[in-house]
């Protein structure tokens, strides 16, 4: 996995990339199917709802390592099937959602390059978002490896 963190004029951002051992359609399905998403994204079973289209809403309740359950909501800002998801997450006190971009690039029929990018307002927010995204990629990588065995 490669990672890069930068400080653009409009905030702090990170870029994570990884090559996954799965075809692009399988990676897309993992991100856009509630049951699949719950399996790797630390979501409480049955809590994930997705309307995967521009303007469509999503929600999930995430279980933290200490047992706390955190409800999350947001919308899909951009959707290009098998290529791009820009996911907005509602943040209390902010007028605009925090947006994370997920891009997929099919390497061959068995490998997909995934990239995650997010720009944040503060260095602390960026570090937390990057840590969360790294955990998600680790979990997704493990699930896809398990399914390919």
């Amino acid at each position: 996995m490669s990672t890069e963190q930068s400080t653009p004029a409009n905030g702090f951002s990170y870029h994570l990339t990884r090559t996954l051992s799965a075809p692009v359609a399988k990676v897309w399905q993992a991100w856009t199917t509630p049951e699949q998403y719950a399996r790797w994204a630390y979501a409480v079973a049955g809590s994930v709802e997705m309307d995967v289209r521009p303007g469509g809403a999503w929600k999930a309740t995430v279980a933290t390592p200490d047992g706390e359950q955190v409800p999350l909501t947001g919308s899909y800002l951009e959707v290009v099937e098998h290529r791009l998801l820009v996911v907005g997450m509602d943040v209390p006190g902010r007028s605009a959602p925090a947006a994370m971009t997920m891009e997929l690039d099919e390497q061959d029929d068995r490998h997909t390059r995934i990239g995650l990018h997010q720009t944040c307002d503060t260095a602390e927010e960026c570090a937390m978002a990057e840590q969360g995204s790294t955990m998600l990629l680790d979990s997704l990588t493990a699930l896809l490896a398990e399914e390919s065995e």
Side-chain angles (χ1 to χ4, degrees):
M1 178 176 68
S2 63
T3 183
E4 173 186 324
Q5 199 172 61
S6 60
T7 310
N10 61 344
F12 299 84
S13 67
Y14 70 86
H15 300 268
L16 301 172
T17 59
R18 190 175 292 191
T19 299
L20 303 171
S21 296
V24 72
K26 189 169 193 156
V27 177
W28 180 263
Q29 185 177 21
W31 276 85
T32 61
T33 306
E35 298 77 22
Q36 291 249 341
Y37 185 83
R39 289 181 59 201
W40 63 270
Y42 306 96
V44 174
S47 73
V48 180
E49 294 179 22
M50 299 174 158
D51 181 7
V52 185
R53 60 181 175 83
W58 66 267
K59 71 178 186 176
T61 300
V62 174
T64 65
D66 62 4
E68 185 181 353
Q69 293 191 359
V70 180
L72 303 173
T73 60
S75 62
Y76 295 97
L77 306 174
E78 290 182 57
V79 178
V80 179
E81 189 172 13
H82 296 172
R83 292 281 304 138
L84 174 74
L85 275 180
V86 180
V87 181
M89 186 168 69
D90 298 329
V91 179
R94 284 182 61 169
S95 59
M100 182 188 70
T101 300
M102 185 274 293
E103 294 180 278
L104 299 176
D105 182 27
E106 186 171 49
Q107 302 296 290
D108 56 42
D109 62 348
R110 296 182 355 195
H111 297 92
T112 301
R113 184 170 184 261
I114 187 170
L116 299 181
H117 170 261
Q118 187 171 357
T119 299
C120 305
D121 292 336
T122 67
E124 294 80 15
E125 179 186 340
C126 188
M128 286 178 52
E130 182 178 7
Q131 180 182 17
S133 291
T134 299
M135 287 174 55
L136 288 175
L137 284 178
D138 289 347
S139 185
L140 177 60
T141 300
L143 174 73
L144 293 172
E146 174 185 304
E147 289 182 351
S148 69
E149 292 176 352

